[in-house]
Amino acid sequence: MSAQNAHSEWDSPMYLEAVAQFDRVAEFMNLDENIADRLRVPQRATVVSFPFRHDDYATVETLFGYRVQHLTTMGPTKGGIRFDMDVDLGEVAALAMWMTWKCSIVGVPFGGAKGGVRVDPRSLSRAELQRVTRRFTMEIINVIGPQTDIPAPDLGTNEQVMAWLMDTYSQHVGHSVPAVVTGKPPSLGGSIARREATGRGVVSLIPPACAHLDMPVKGSKVAIHGFGNVGRYAAVAASEFGMKVVAVSDISGAVYDDDGLDIDDVAKWVDGNGLLEGYPSADHIEGSALFGVDCDILIPAAIQGVVTADNASDVKARLLVEGANNPTTLAADDLLRSRGVFIVPDILANAGGVTVSYFEWVQDVQAYFWSENEIVGRLREIMTRAFSDVLNIALTENVDMRTAALIKGIQRVTDAKLVRGIFP
Ligand code: NAD
């Protein structure tokens, strides 16, 4: 039976959107229907529930966790783990599929995966966060591993969470296995420059995109939604390129200064206070108002589904670079393109994270570590080459950048599936 017609356990608005994107492009590519049918659904999905004891020792809560591996054809699977209240099987399945295309676009030898726990990490003490991480790791221990599936940080998780994951896995197998996870602290075999990689990668595509649009880079006004791992380092990199970062936001709201924010100062405030709330040296606006500020470049770098049909007409930017996964709904995507906004899609724009994760895995497997210059140089080379490949497809096929990126991602995977054949 066709997977298209089958009832699928992971159905959710986000998964259906990922499949709708895929179907649009598969039709355009005239993709073999047998291959398309396999690529629409993940190869393996693990759902777990487990007890989580709160610090008071009296409350025990049942938490739900997920790990979805979309495609095992290309090598081990790879993808982040998020801790967020919106996490469910459908969200994780959609993100796993996007990871497959992302890895394929930048040419790293992984298939896509994603995982997560439905929990609010901000409500947890450090000890609670550690217990959730370690127990979740035990629950999925049989489906992860350095040659099978390699997690990384994502929304609501960080280097520390990855260190606990690595330690739990290593305790279980009886020796240290740094390559089981990427985005670890450098002291544990994490790669230098991994923390900044996604944000840096996002911003590395602005100069080639500006060149294509005949727009200046220096002095361009940038607004960034999100000031976590991706948004913060995108803001730092944009400032280093001479752009003016006029607005950044987090869950508490946004700060705005038309003359450009002092990003080091904003970052210092967030390190000391946790949130942008109360930052004294800029105006405060609603987080959602950030999408309408006067700027040339907009970088959504927080959560999914924030640029919608309702606010797309407020967007003033000419260039939208998607740092977050799936920040733009399909309807908003159509509206923005009809207004001439050039969109660099998530599966290309935020692929710097998985690229440096790949470098980290290679370094861990070989136990041989590279210099920061090598890492940053190779990241820039891979990102700009991927951008120019995707732009070439867009121009040759007369399609938008999202379609072009999907064509590139899907084609490589399809070729690999065809030559591997079907077992048995
Ligand atoms: P993070 O948790 O470090 O930061 C998230 C930011 O978004 C924070 O500033 C937070 O305050 C804000 N935020 C959270 N919930 C929000 C809400 N409901 N409304 C408004 N703002 C909210 O996460 P991150 O690692 O920076 O990831 C951000 C996005 O980038 C996600 O879509 C993630 O999947 C994607 N991504 C991350 C990486 C990576 O390397 N970390 C790589 C590729 C893609």
Side-chain angles (χ1 to χ4, degrees):
M1 179 164 63
S2 158
Q4 207 173 8
N5 301 323
H7 166 74
S8 75
E9 282 66 17
W10 29 79
D11 273 2
S12 73
M14 199 158 161
Y15 177 72
L16 293 175
E17 186 148 316
V19 173
Q21 272 184 7
F22 171 77
D23 281 342
R24 261 195 202 185
V25 177
E27 192 182 340
F28 180 85
M29 294 170 72
N30 208 7
L31 198 68
D32 180 329
E33 184 46 38
N34 293 327
I35 297 276
D37 209 35
R38 290 299 301 128
L39 292 175
R40 263 182 213 112
V41 289
Q43 275 186 240
R44 186 189 287 146
T46 306
V47 180
V48 299
S49 74
F50 57 92
F52 153 53
R53 194 191 289 279
H54 286 225
D55 280 347
D56 66 10
Y57 246 69
T59 319
V60 178
E61 193 182 345
T62 294
L63 295 183
F64 292 85
Y66 308 89
R67 186 73 185 166
V68 171
Q69 294 148 350
H70 175 249
L71 180 89
T72 60
T73 307
M74 316 300 288
T77 48
K78 185 93 193 73
I81 295 218
R82 42 173 66 182
F83 287 175
D84 187 79
M85 285 309 287
D86 285 338
V87 166
D88 59 26
L89 185 61
E91 176 176 300
V92 170
L95 290 160
M97 184 188 286
W98 283 317
M99 276 303 293
T100 292
W101 315 142
K102 199 180 295 185
C103 293
S104 176
I105 289 166
V106 285
V108 298
F110 299 130
K114 206 77 176 191
V117 178
R118 186 154 64 244
V119 68
D120 177 5
R122 286 173 294 270
S123 71
L124 306 179
S125 69
R126 183 182 160 90
E128 288 175 332
L129 184 64
Q130 178 167 181
R131 287 203 292 280
V132 169
T133 304
R134 288 188 183 277
R135 180 63 191 246
F136 174 59
T137 306
M138 275 312 294
E139 296 292 334
I140 60 166
I141 207 123
N142 291 326
V143 297
I144 59 170
Q147 301 302 333
T148 47
D149 181 17
I150 308 142
D154 197 80
L155 200 63
T157 57
N158 56 21
E159 287 182 2
Q160 179 59 74
V161 170
M162 296 305 113
W164 289 327
L165 197 159
M166 176 268 185
D167 184 67
T168 306
Y169 186 88
S170 300
Q171 297 291 345
H172 181 75
V173 298
H175 58 93
S176 279
V177 187
V180 69
V181 67
T182 60
K184 303 173 293 292
S187 57
L188 269 187
S191 179
I192 33 178
R194 170 61 184 89
R195 189 187 300 165
E196 304 87 346
T198 310
R200 227 177 218 163
V202 166
V203 171
S204 73
L205 300 188
I206 293 178
C210 284
H212 171 64
L213 296 172
D214 207 11
M215 260 171 78
V217 175
K218 257 198 159 119
S220 282
K221 290 185 184 178
V222 188
I224 303 177
H225 187 244
F227 202 67
N229 181 274
V230 182
R232 174 182 179 149
Y233 294 104
V236 170
S239 304
E240 285 169 4
F241 270 98
M243 298 171 223
K244 260 203 275 186
V245 181
V246 293
V248 297
S249 74
D250 67 10
I251 195 152
S252 71
V255 293
Y256 175 71
D257 184 343
D258 191 52
D259 292 328
L261 297 159
D262 177 344
I263 293 303
D264 287 343
D265 193 52
V266 177
K268 219 179 279 164
W269 172 269
V270 170
D271 286 341
N273 300 277
L275 289 171
L276 291 167
E277 195 170 27
Y279 176 65
S281 310
D283 294 337
H284 286 256
I285 56 174
E286 292 276 312
S288 56
L290 179 136
F291 299 105
V293 302
D294 180 28
C295 66
D296 307 296
I297 302 162
L298 177 63
I299 304 179
I303 54 166
Q304 62 269 13
V306 286
V307 185
T308 64
D310 291 336
N311 65 9
S313 56
D314 300 337
V315 171
K316 315 261 185 321
R318 217 180 130 202
L319 171 60
L320 190 152
V321 190
E322 294 183 337
N325 283 312
N326 190 227
T328 314
T329 64
L330 270 179
D333 191 75
D334 288 340
L335 283 168
L336 289 167
R337 278 190 289 110
S338 70
R339 289 184 35 223
V341 179
F342 186 80
I343 302 176
V344 185
D346 47 7
I347 49 173
L348 169 62
N350 67 33
V354 76
T355 302
V356 176
S357 273
Y358 164 60
F359 296 164
E360 180 172 335
W361 178 75
V362 169
Q363 292 171 81
D364 286 338
V365 167
Q366 299 187 338
Y368 176 74
F369 291 88
W370 310 349
S371 73
E372 181 161 7
N373 278 349
E374 279 173 285
I375 293 166
V376 173
R378 285 179 189 174
L379 170 65
R380 195 177 314 120
E381 187 191 319
I382 288 180
M383 290 298 288
T384 48
R385 190 178 56 218
F387 178 88
S388 105
D389 289 351
V390 170
L391 183 61
N392 276 339
I393 296 173
L395 297 174
T396 319
E397 302 288 341
N398 194 22
V399 292
D400 59 279
M401 289 290 280
R402 192 182 311 281
T403 304
L406 282 164
I407 291 175
K408 182 168 163 63
I410 294 168
Q411 191 60 59
R412 182 161 172 264
V413 167
T414 300
D415 295 347
K417 279 196 99 54
L418 282 172
V419 286
R420 275 192 68 156
I422 297 174
F423 173 83

